[in-house]
Amino acid sequence: SLIMKLSTKLKISFGILILVPAFLFTAALTVLLKFQINEISNRYHTSDATYDMLANPAMLFSKICESEYVKLIDAAETAPEQFSDREFLDSINKELSGRYAYLIVVDKGVCTYSGESGTDEIVKELTRIDFGDDSTAGIYLGGNYQMIVNRVECVNKDKTTGNAFIIMKLKEYISQVRVMAFNAIIVIVL
């Protein structure tokens, strides 16, 4: 009977010392991850934020400006004249600006629209880059730029090619990723 009581006490102690903290840690981590996913969804207006995005920043960056990218692709395919419409470009840029991004339109090597001032050097860099045949791939510009660039190619009525570039400024995102990582560390430590 004494051994039975000791055995029961050891089982209860094991449960309290090992299982309860593990359960509380898992619950806290789950709450933090759900909070961060909701924060990503609300801040960047993405409805399909997933846990994978927290572990894969490239996936997160590709989703952040996806809706504007799709609008530009639709315009390129159905109404390329919209790339000359200042109101259309301003509306796209307004949506992008809330996501630390902006729009640049280059036609025949000349910048015809820039959603942010001081982009002359960036435009020069963009016109030198060979994007290859894959117009859906984004590229990373390092060095002083620290940005991800997505390109939408548009064929004008005169059969010349123009490009719209969505520029995402990574310096702005890095500080937010640091805050998310700090929050995760706090939860793990506590």
Side-chain angles (χ1 to χ4, degrees):
S1 174
L2 179 62
I3 294 176
M4 203 62 143
K5 288 180 184 178
L6 185 59
S7 173
T8 305
K9 286 181 181 180
L10 285 173
K11 289 177 185 176
I12 291 171
S13 297
F14 175 77
I16 290 172
L17 292 174
I18 303 296
L19 298 177
V20 171
F23 172 75
L24 291 175
F25 172 76
T26 304
L29 191 60
T30 302
V31 167
L32 174 72
L33 292 175
K34 284 191 180 285
F35 173 77
Q36 290 184 338
I37 286 173
N38 286 337
E39 186 68 23
I40 288 170
S41 294
N42 292 337
R43 180 171 290 180
Y44 303 119
H45 311 291
T46 60
S47 60
D48 56 351
T50 64
Y51 291 112
D52 293 337
M53 287 182 180
L54 296 174
N56 185 353
M59 182 187 292
L60 173 63
F61 293 137
S62 71
K63 292 286 184 187
I64 288 174
C65 298
E66 185 177 43
S67 62
E68 290 79 14
Y69 186 71
V70 169
K71 287 178 188 176
L72 289 172
I73 288 175
D74 289 344
E77 292 173 355
T78 60
E81 65 276 0
Q82 284 188 310
F83 286 89
S84 301
D85 180 6
R86 187 94 176 154
E87 279 185 36
F88 172 73
L89 298 175
D90 283 341
S91 71
I92 296 285
N93 194 64
K94 183 178 179 183
E95 292 176 35
L96 290 170
S97 66
R99 299 178 187 152
Y100 307 112
Y102 59 94
L103 180 65
I104 292 178
V105 177
V106 177
D107 191 22
K108 300 173 192 156
V110 177
C111 180
T112 58
Y113 180 87
S114 179
E116 193 165 284
S117 60
T119 57
D120 296 338
E121 286 296 317
I122 295 169
V123 170
K124 287 178 187 174
E125 187 70 27
L126 292 174
T127 56
R128 284 187 280 219
I129 295 172
D130 178 20
F131 285 87
D133 294 334
D134 189 5
S135 64
T136 62
I139 63 161
Y140 169 74
L141 288 180
N144 294 333
Y145 300 114
Q146 299 294 315
M147 56 185 57
I148 293 179
V149 179
N150 287 318
R151 176 184 71 132
V152 175
E153 192 174 69
C154 174
V155 178
N156 300 319
K157 288 182 180 180
D158 62 354
K159 303 297 183 211
T160 60
T161 301
N163 292 293
F165 299 98
I166 295 176
I167 312 291
M168 294 188 306
K169 301 179 276 188
L170 291 182
K171 289 180 183 178
E172 307 296 332
Y173 290 111
I174 289 172
S175 64
Q176 293 177 12
V177 170
R178 285 183 183 149
V179 168
M180 287 174 40
F182 179 74
N183 290 342
I185 291 170
I186 293 294
V187 166
I188 290 169
V189 169
L190 294 177

